[in-house]
Amino acid sequence: MRARGDPAAAAAAPHVSVILPVHNAEPWLDECLRSVLQQDFQGSMELSVFNDASQDRSAAVIERWKGRLEDAGIPVVIGGHDAPAPRGVGYSKNQAIAQSSGSYLCFLDSDDVMMPQRVRLQLEAAAQHPTSIIGCRVRREPPKSTERYTRWINQLTPDQLLTQVFTSHGPTVIMPTWFCSRAWFFHVGPFDEGGQGVPEDLLFFYDHLRKGGGVVRVDQSLLLYRYLPDAATHSVLETTIWTHRVRFLEERVLPRWAAFTIWNAGRQGRRLYRSLTAEARRKVVAFCDVDENKIRKGFYCHEDSQERPKPRVPVLHFRAARPPFVICVKLDLTGGAFEDNLRSLHLREGQDFLHFS
């Protein structure tokens, strides 16, 4: 049970709104809402719920918890609609934020569970970093699901929170762990409301970085992060994510590089090359690889190019190639061989190479 502490101190403390979009979340809501009740944060806190056309008994569960939360000193604001179809996660989060009043926003997915210290520790970090998105480490449920992704979430260094923003994993602190000031959210946002198939968290994260925002992770596991195969995240097409990533790479990195090498002469490296604008493609001086067959061929020819003659890009052994590199090799999949090769070159991540895997 949340300890309320001294009422005067609570009134003077920064006010936090827990932002909870809900759509057909009945199986998980009890555990999720109990975790709000069990926060050990002593200041004033509210829960803002937006029910996005749930067809199950989510609304009844929320109403049942409303009294328990308010008895513990946590006001509950409930909004929603009962249209035939949901409006999507971006819309729901925007509505939950609009009806809330906190100076800080703590985002929570309805199938996840907060550890008791989450709000307290992330608020401490947010107060020190007012223009940052604050994340945290997570514990995955089921434990063996998405092991590589979970390791990536939890093990990025502080520098990598900014250098690995181009990978296929998306934001370097995951959306269900986000915590930020209300003022900063409205400086960046709101979320895109395009609905199903729109990566609203990635688009917001990129806008946040464009405006000079920082990324900070509290290095404790503060969220049980549930893996559900039919979650809304999986409705976003990989090709949609890919297009946004390429454009962000071209916008943020390639203008400061006169030339670069793509590390991977295989399918993913060639795909990146073909996805670049003509101007960016002209900066690609080589592909590099360890595959002797690709190296022996000597070049990659861009057959779909309208240029004449068609571009032929050399394929080199990685030790013969020149940085900077855009790396299109999946991490943690080669038994450490790729990572050993990269370390042997003594390069600086973010300056001499970046990951696009």
Side-chain angles (χ1 to χ4, degrees):
M1 181 69 69
R2 175 172 173 263
R4 296 180 60 187
D6 177 66
H15 190 114
V16 177
S17 295
V18 177
I19 303 301
L20 181 63
V22 172
H23 175 69
N24 291 344
E26 181 184 357
W28 314 285
L29 264 178
D30 279 312
E31 197 174 2
C32 176
L33 294 171
R34 185 176 294 110
S35 76
V36 177
L37 180 65
Q38 292 176 340
Q39 290 301 295
D40 65 14
F41 173 55
Q42 297 285 310
S44 58
M45 180 173 72
E46 70 174 3
L47 173 66
S48 180
V49 184
F50 190 83
N51 187 357
D52 189 18
S54 293
Q55 300 297 310
D56 61 4
R57 291 182 52 79
S58 291
V61 176
I62 294 163
E63 283 295 335
R64 188 171 73 244
W65 275 94
K66 184 175 188 292
R68 292 185 65 182
L69 289 161
E70 292 188 338
D71 286 347
I74 305 172
V76 180
V77 183
I78 302 173
H81 68 96
D82 57 2
R87 293 283 301 272
V89 180
Y91 174 81
S92 299
K93 284 186 284 208
N94 285 340
Q95 292 299 308
I97 292 164
Q99 70 190 18
S100 73
S101 57
S103 299
Y104 291 90
L105 307 175
C106 175
F107 292 91
L108 177 61
D109 281 3
S110 56
D111 54 351
D112 293 337
V113 180
M114 297 194 288
M115 300 302 105
Q117 66 274 36
R118 180 189 173 191
V119 168
R120 173 173 55 84
L121 294 180
Q122 288 194 296
L123 177 60
E124 290 174 3
Q128 295 175 23
H129 304 277
T131 61
S132 290
I133 291 176
I134 312 299
C136 64
R137 289 178 172 164
V138 301
R139 177 165 60 88
R140 200 58 152 146
E141 181 65 34
K144 294 294 186 181
S145 58
T146 66
E147 289 183 275
R148 286 179 57 251
Y149 179 45
T150 304
R151 276 197 299 273
W152 182 81
I153 293 168
N154 289 334
Q155 295 179 5
L156 290 173
T157 68
D159 287 343
Q160 288 173 330
L161 294 175
L162 289 174
T163 59
Q164 294 206 10
V165 298
F166 305 97
T167 76
S168 60
H169 290 317
T172 49
V173 288
I174 59 168
M175 172 67 221
T177 72
W178 286 7
F179 193 111
C180 67
S181 76
R182 184 183 200 87
W184 184 254
F185 173 84
F186 281 107
H187 179 68
V188 176
F191 289 107
D192 188 291
E193 297 186 356
Q196 189 173 27
V198 172
E200 83 291 331
D201 56 345
L202 182 66
L203 298 180
F204 186 97
F205 189 69
Y206 283 171
D207 283 342
H208 163 77
L209 295 173
R210 288 182 179 109
K211 295 191 176 185
V215 185
V216 174
R217 187 185 65 218
V218 175
D219 283 335
Q220 293 190 36
S221 179
L222 302 180
L223 189 78
L224 186 147
Y225 179 38
R226 210 181 300 270
Y227 174 74
L228 300 173
D230 58 349
T233 302
H234 306 306
S235 71
V236 182
L237 295 176
E238 187 274 340
T239 51
T240 300
I241 299 288
W242 176 273
T243 299
H244 287 300
R245 290 169 56 215
V246 172
R247 298 290 86 84
F248 196 60
L249 175 72
E250 291 179 324
E251 171 193 331
R252 302 286 291 185
V253 177
L254 300 190
R256 53 188 171 87
W257 287 355
F260 66 98
T261 299
I262 295 176
W263 191 317
N264 186 351
R267 182 171 59 182
Q268 284 295 90
R270 297 194 305 267
R271 182 187 182 193
L272 173 60
Y273 178 84
R274 293 192 302 268
S275 300
L276 297 171
T277 63
E279 179 183 3
R281 280 198 301 270
R282 284 192 284 273
K283 293 186 175 186
V284 179
V285 293
F287 291 89
C288 72
D289 214 294
V290 295
D291 186 324
E292 292 297 337
N293 292 326
K294 296 185 180 74
I295 296 167
R296 194 176 300 116
K297 183 177 178 181
F299 65 90
Y300 165 71
C301 181
H302 185 207
E303 297 290 354
D304 296 332
S305 174
Q306 300 303 308
E307 296 180 47
R308 295 294 183 271
K310 294 182 185 296
R312 291 160 65 98
V313 183
V315 178
L316 308 174
H317 189 275
F318 77 92
R319 293 200 181 280
R322 289 185 292 125
F325 298 102
V326 176
I327 296 175
C328 295
V329 178
K330 291 283 187 186
L331 297 174
D332 205 13
L333 279 181
T334 62
F338 164 73
E339 288 81 0
D340 288 344
N341 288 336
L342 182 59
R343 275 192 295 270
S344 73
L345 299 179
H346 304 291
L347 302 174
R348 298 159 298 174
E349 185 168 359
Q351 297 182 52
D352 301 321
F353 72 94
L354 60 83
H355 290 284
F356 194 80
S357 49

